[in-house]
Amino acid sequence: MSETVGAEPVNSIYQWLPSAMDARIRVVAWLSLLSEIVIVGTGGAVRLTGSGLGCPTWPNCVVGSLVPTEEMGLHGVIEFANRLMTGLIGIIAIAAVVLLWRLRRERKDLFVLAVILVGGVLAQALVGGVTVWTGLNPFIVGFHFTVSLIMVCLATVLVHRVYLAPGPRTLVVPVGFAGLAHATSFAVALTVIMGVLTTASGPHSGDADAGRTGFNAELLEHLHAWPGYATLVLTIVLLAACVGGKLPVRRFVVALLVIELVQILVGLLQANLGLPPVLVGLHMVLACVLAAAMTALVLNLKAPTGITPDATEFIGTSELSSRRG
């Protein structure tokens, strides 16, 4: 009798989990993407306010205390708030895994992505700990940011996939256009990498005693800008091809172009105004938005066989599956 009673809550929870794609899964996917971008902003705030060692130990904030003590002041609060953000992202990632549990065989692609995101959160937390242990080594800090960008891209893939039916996909743009889009994504990646090196060589180290790479920051600024401008030119060519060929990915290219223009404007302003922290932080967040937009464009070069990209935004997975059948 007790075994039956004990099993009822478990069965109730299992039955509550989605057996088909629904709004709960999509909301959590969007929350995952949003939180991955937000934590870059909070991490930037840690560095730009000089709070990188506001919590000088890890996983505790200070020796003998998980939370910052009064002696740590505002820097400790800022650093600890960023650590709490990591916990929130972890909860969202676990929620995605739980919600996809009943669909783990039917939508293995989504379930695997959700598990990878959980692993990524744990890995990022560990890298954050190494960053503190090494006294904000600029290369470790740069790696930490790079992994965050990868997490943003993975979360973008998750958002994209929750609106699509499983199964084979077909290229919906000319092969040449797809090649140009991938070349643009390479330019974006190169721009971001050079941006990471530039920041690691600049004045915002996160702490007065933190080291810098020793590279020529002024030279790196140019090496960062050149692939950025190449990205802009390539994106304009993509847009011209979209308009001329009436391609279904035009809105993604337009979004990418707008983000690039804003990012270039912010980059020019920060370079000419002496790298004010607010603009540097905005530049970092926009890098994540740019990475997400580029990922979305590449993903939408293909669509499920027989389904147009536009339709997948409004049709649920179950209905798509039935149409494909």
Side-chain angles (χ1 to χ4, degrees), residues 118-145:
V118 172
V121 173
L122 295 174
Q124 273 290 70
L126 181 58
V127 173
V130 174
T131 301
V132 173
W133 293 336
T134 58
L136 304 183
N137 180 290
F139 295 102
I140 302 297
V141 173
F143 177 72
H144 196 37
F145 176 73

Side-chain angles (χ1 to χ4, degrees), residues 15-288:
Q15 292 300 319
W16 177 83
L17 296 176
S19 58
M21 293 301 302
D22 64 13
R24 290 173 292 175
I25 296 175
R26 293 187 177 116
V27 167
V28 168
W30 277 105
L31 287 175
S32 178
L33 175 57
L34 180 62
S35 61
E36 293 289 356
I37 294 174
V38 169
I39 197 171
V40 170
T42 61
V46 170
R47 178 194 292 187
L48 296 170
T49 59
S51 305
L53 294 177
C55 286
T57 64
W58 189 91
N60 283 342
C61 180
V62 293
V63 176
S65 177
L66 179 65
V67 300
T69 59
E70 186 176 350
E71 290 77 12
M72 303 313 299
L74 182 60
H75 290 319
V77 173
I78 293 173
E79 163 64 4
F80 187 71
N82 188 57
R83 295 189 182 189
L84 289 179
M85 187 65 200
T86 300
L88 177 60
I89 292 178
I91 292 172
I92 294 172
I94 293 171
V97 172
V98 172
L99 287 174
L100 287 165
W101 183 254
R102 289 183 68 181
L103 294 168
R104 65 188 183 280
R105 294 184 180 87
E106 178 186 348
R107 295 306 308 266
K108 185 178 178 180
D109 58 331
L110 296 179
F111 186 74
V112 170
L113 272 172
V115 172
I116 290 174
L117 285 170
V118 172
V121 173
L122 295 174
Q124 273 290 70
L126 181 58
V127 173
V130 174
T131 301
V132 173
W133 293 336
T134 58
L136 304 183
N137 180 290
F139 295 102
I140 302 297
V141 173
F143 177 72
H144 196 37
F145 176 73
T146 302
V147 175
S148 294
L149 281 174
I150 294 173
M151 294 285 284
V152 168
C153 293
L154 289 172
T156 303
V157 176
L158 181 63
V159 170
H160 174 74
R161 290 289 184 90
V162 297
Y163 289 97
L164 295 183
R169 297 185 300 152
T170 305
L171 200 64
V172 294
V173 297
V175 174
F177 182 92
L180 187 60
H182 286 293
T184 306
S185 69
F186 175 78
V188 168
L190 184 58
T191 303
V192 170
I193 290 171
M194 295 311 302
V196 170
L197 286 175
T198 302
T199 302
S201 306
H204 299 295
S205 61
D207 188 83
D209 297 325
R212 300 280 75 197
T213 63
F215 299 149
N216 187 320
E218 185 176 352
L219 174 61
L220 286 173
E221 283 183 12
H222 293 293
L223 295 178
H224 171 48
W226 293 339
Y229 291 132
T231 299
L232 178 63
V233 172
L234 288 170
T235 304
I236 292 173
V237 175
L238 287 173
L239 182 58
C242 281
V243 174
K246 297 180 179 179
L247 302 182
V249 295
R250 182 172 59 182
R251 67 188 181 280
F252 294 101
V253 177
V254 170
L256 183 66
L257 179 59
V258 171
I259 295 166
E260 288 170 4
L261 290 173
V262 175
Q263 180 72 313
I264 289 173
L265 176 61
V266 173
L268 290 173
L269 286 174
Q270 69 170 9
N272 286 281
L273 294 176
L275 302 176
V278 172
L279 290 181
V280 175
L282 179 60
H283 200 55
M284 292 173 61
V285 173
L286 284 172
C288 294

